[in-house]
Amino acid sequence: MIFENTFKKFLEVKELFKSLVNDDKSVEDLFKILEKSQREIKVYLPLKKENGEIEIFEGFRIQHNNFLGPYKGGIRYFSEVNEDEIKTLAFLMTIKCALVGVPLGGAKGGIRVDPKNLSEKELESLSREYVRKIYDFIGPNKDIPAPDVNTNTKIIDWMIDEYLKISDSKDIKLKATFTGKSVKNDGSEGREEATGKGGEIILERFIKKMNLQKPLTVAVQGFGNVGYNLAKFLYQKGYKLIALSDSKGGIYSQEGFSPELVMECKKEKGMISGCYCVGSICDSRLGSDISNEELLELDVDILIPSALENIINKKNADKVKAKIILEMANNPLTEEADEILNKKGVAIIPDILANSGGVTVSYFEMLQNLNNEKWSKEKIFEELEKYLSKAFDEVWEIKEKLNIDLRKASFILAIKRIYKKYNL
Ligand code: NAD
């Protein structure tokens, strides 16, 4: 269902693209091919729990398309992971890689698990079992997984360790099988911050094109890797972060928050709710608690969904008052919400463009591993800026020329690159 709806948005550019390349037949064929994943892997992962019980978890790796290069995409751990969702995200990775101009295809993986219910030892065993099950299908020339929701450098380090053990090889290049490793384990500088940094680069470019003046007010839903890092970069650039939230709820203050202080508090308390209190004194001038639903409906300049998909849908889209939505989560808007918000004149900066910083730096991590190099964070961010600015400018040009929205323009740029390769 999610895939169908996401693909429907993509199908909207088919006729337009046909008219651009003047070749109906091969465009029809290509869209038909892209509607299916090239390979869908489902695995069952037995885990012996510390209490001696065996529990079986379901895992997926879906390889959508590799016309432009090896498959690439994150692995998420989440209690509601399902095939349809992973397929959708794999498709979006194909589009994202093409859009940003890296020679990679699209994939996604996941395990249906709530990692909070497992001990660290159990989590490690499960992660290693997943690698054993998908081993034959991954590698630097085949498919390169990375972290996503609820997975991090620690998990990726276990995964690459398991992969190298099975490979029984000393070839350093094999480290490029996974990206998002810790820096001491040949990961890249800046990878953890990359998606947030990318969001900042894209937003800054957008603001400039629109001639908007700061301070602009911002609400960020989701205070994990992406949401926190982006908030940190935006704060440094003078945006006013008036609302932040995580899965347990949010905080609001017209004065604005410092993300780093909020993160310190979250680490202490385990949530950001109440993080406007100083000691035991909660001064309402410093802030108040708000729910995730309220956060989405705030009157802000920029709303940034950075948690999960479909959180803006036909039930709440009408209530959104933000002027700009920067989609840092993948697929945060349903098809209906997209339509409602477009009609309302909200500027939507689509996920495939806004959150492409992560995969771009993952690509840099691969290059470093394959060429046995180590790039500084400055070089990483410089290169990232080059890639994303180029992608943004190309999308903007298409948008202006064809008078379409940014999502459609992004689709056009991506499909242009895939089509070129397909038609070789
Ligand atoms: P994460 O696990 O680090 O953080 C997710 C955050 O969202 C957490 O703070 C969690 O508490 C919060 N959250 C979960 N459910 C929520 C809810 N219902 N309401 C509000 N907050 C909620 O994950 P992440 O890596 O930051 O990924 C976030 C999103 O960004 C996902 O959609 C992911 O696919 C996308 N993304 C991530 C990357 C990356 O490099 N990590 C790259 C591109 C896209």
Side-chain angles (χ1 to χ4, degrees):
M1 191 63 185
I2 309 174
F3 179 80
E4 229 173 77
N5 288 338
T6 305
F7 202 77
K8 233 194 227 165
K9 288 191 213 168
F10 179 58
L11 278 176
E12 283 173 20
V13 302
K14 189 168 76 178
E15 294 309 314
L16 181 56
F17 188 62
K18 276 183 187 169
S19 69
L20 293 178
V21 293
N22 228 345
D23 181 356
D24 288 12
K25 171 82 173 74
S26 56
V27 173
E28 266 311 323
D29 290 347
L30 180 58
F31 273 72
K32 216 183 268 175
I33 290 170
L34 292 176
E35 197 164 356
K36 300 280 177 227
S37 320
Q38 291 177 332
R39 185 182 283 126
E40 298 184 355
I41 305 160
K42 182 171 181 181
V43 292
Y44 290 97
L45 310 165
L47 171 71
K48 188 160 187 188
K49 307 270 288 274
E50 291 197 63
N51 63 8
E53 295 293 316
I54 293 276
E55 193 173 340
I56 314 281
F57 292 90
E58 255 176 32
F60 305 94
R61 184 73 189 165
I62 296 193
Q63 298 173 329
H64 177 261
N65 188 277
N66 65 355
F67 287 173
L68 291 178
Y71 305 104
K72 181 95 194 80
I75 298 168
R76 62 171 53 180
Y77 288 180
F78 189 56
S79 54
E80 283 157 43
V81 155
N82 62 71
E83 228 163 319
D84 185 37
E85 172 198 20
I86 298 293
K87 183 177 164 190
T88 310
L89 295 167
F91 160 70
L92 288 176
M93 284 305 296
T94 300
I95 300 296
K96 199 181 298 181
C97 291
L99 169 63
V100 86
V102 291
L104 295 166
K108 200 83 182 183
I111 304 181
R112 199 173 165 83
V113 59
D114 183 349
K116 290 181 191 121
N117 294 337
L118 298 184
S119 68
E120 179 156 325
K121 212 167 137 210
E122 291 167 342
L123 198 59
E124 178 173 351
S125 300
L126 185 67
S127 304
R128 288 182 184 273
E129 178 66 10
Y130 179 70
V131 174
R132 290 194 285 275
K133 288 279 161 63
I134 63 164
Y135 176 83
D136 288 339
F137 302 100
I138 58 175
N141 300 316
K142 295 184 198 168
D143 182 357
I144 303 116
D148 192 65
V149 174
N150 287 329
T151 49
N152 53 22
T153 52
K154 192 194 259 180
I155 293 176
I156 297 295
D157 282 354
W158 292 330
M159 289 187 170
I160 187 66
D161 184 62
E162 190 63 28
Y163 185 86
L164 294 175
K165 250 192 222 158
I166 307 171
S167 309
D168 196 21
S169 161
K170 295 262 175 297
D171 187 355
I172 179 80
K173 293 191 175 116
L174 284 183
K175 281 237 165 145
T177 302
F178 284 86
T179 60
K181 302 177 290 289
S182 64
V183 175
K184 65 174 180 348
N185 195 19
D186 295 306
S188 179
E189 290 287 351
R191 173 60 186 88
E192 281 213 49
E193 296 159 285
T195 308
K197 183 71 189 169
E200 176 222 303
I201 294 169
I202 296 289
L203 184 62
E204 283 278 281
R205 227 143 169 104
F206 177 82
I207 298 298
K208 213 165 151 198
K209 290 272 186 213
M210 301 296 289
N211 238 331
L212 298 173
Q213 301 306 319
K214 289 179 204 160
L216 295 161
T217 53
V218 177
V220 181
Q221 190 203 40
F223 204 58
N225 173 299
V226 174
Y228 165 65
N229 282 302
L230 174 63
K232 193 180 73 183
F233 290 121
L234 294 186
Y235 182 73
Q236 286 161 8
K237 289 268 170 178
Y239 293 80
K240 201 165 166 194
L241 294 146
I242 66 163
L244 302 167
S245 74
D246 62 18
S247 59
K248 299 195 181 103
I251 51 176
Y252 167 81
S253 160
Q254 203 48 49
E255 297 305 307
F257 294 105
S258 147
E260 291 185 30
L261 289 182
V262 173
M263 183 48 99
E264 263 176 41
C265 168
K266 178 180 157 89
K267 277 189 182 149
E268 238 171 65
K269 285 163 49 96
M271 60 179 126
I272 71 177
S273 178
C275 276
Y276 50 87
C277 300
V278 181
S280 58
I281 313 287
C282 297
D283 183 338
S284 62
R285 283 168 306 174
L286 297 176
S288 57
D289 279 341
I290 51 166
S291 67
N292 267 300
E293 293 72 40
E294 285 167 331
L295 180 141
L296 296 175
E297 295 166 16
L298 285 176
D299 190 1
V300 282
D301 294 309
I302 307 160
L303 173 64
I304 310 188
S306 314
L308 293 168
E309 41 278 328
N310 296 335
I311 48 100
I312 306 180
N313 44 55
K314 65 176 175 205
K315 287 191 204 131
N316 58 3
D318 251 339
K319 298 181 196 145
V320 169
K321 297 183 199 73
K323 295 164 196 74
I324 300 164
I325 296 181
L326 181 71
E327 294 186 338
M328 292 307 290
N330 284 309
N331 232 1
L333 272 54
T334 63
E335 193 207 351
E336 293 101 337
D338 199 44
E339 213 181 302
I340 296 169
L341 292 164
N342 264 315
K343 272 196 193 134
K344 273 173 71 169
V346 178
I348 301 166
I349 309 176
D351 48 6
I352 42 176
L353 183 61
N355 70 27
S356 58
V359 74
T360 310
V361 174
S362 273
Y363 171 58
F364 299 159
E365 183 174 332
M366 278 176 66
L367 289 183
Q368 291 172 79
N369 292 155
L370 294 174
N371 301 324
N372 202 8
E373 289 175 356
K374 287 237 183 267
W375 298 3
S376 67
K377 194 154 141 182
E378 289 69 38
K379 178 172 160 94
I380 296 279
F381 284 176
E382 246 174 62
E383 289 296 313
L384 181 63
E385 179 125 27
K386 273 189 218 157
Y387 271 77
L388 296 200
S389 303
K390 186 166 178 286
F392 181 88
D393 291 349
E394 285 175 296
V395 168
W396 194 266
E397 201 184 316
I398 294 172
K399 164 196 147 25
E400 295 282 283
K401 203 159 143 193
L402 303 177
N403 195 20
I404 52 179
D405 62 47
L406 282 171
R407 191 184 314 280
K408 288 201 179 87
S410 299
F411 279 147
I412 292 280
L413 177 59
I415 190 69
K416 223 164 131 182
R417 293 198 169 124
I418 300 171
Y419 177 81
K420 212 166 148 191
K421 199 73 186 214
Y422 169 68
N423 253 359
L424 275 183

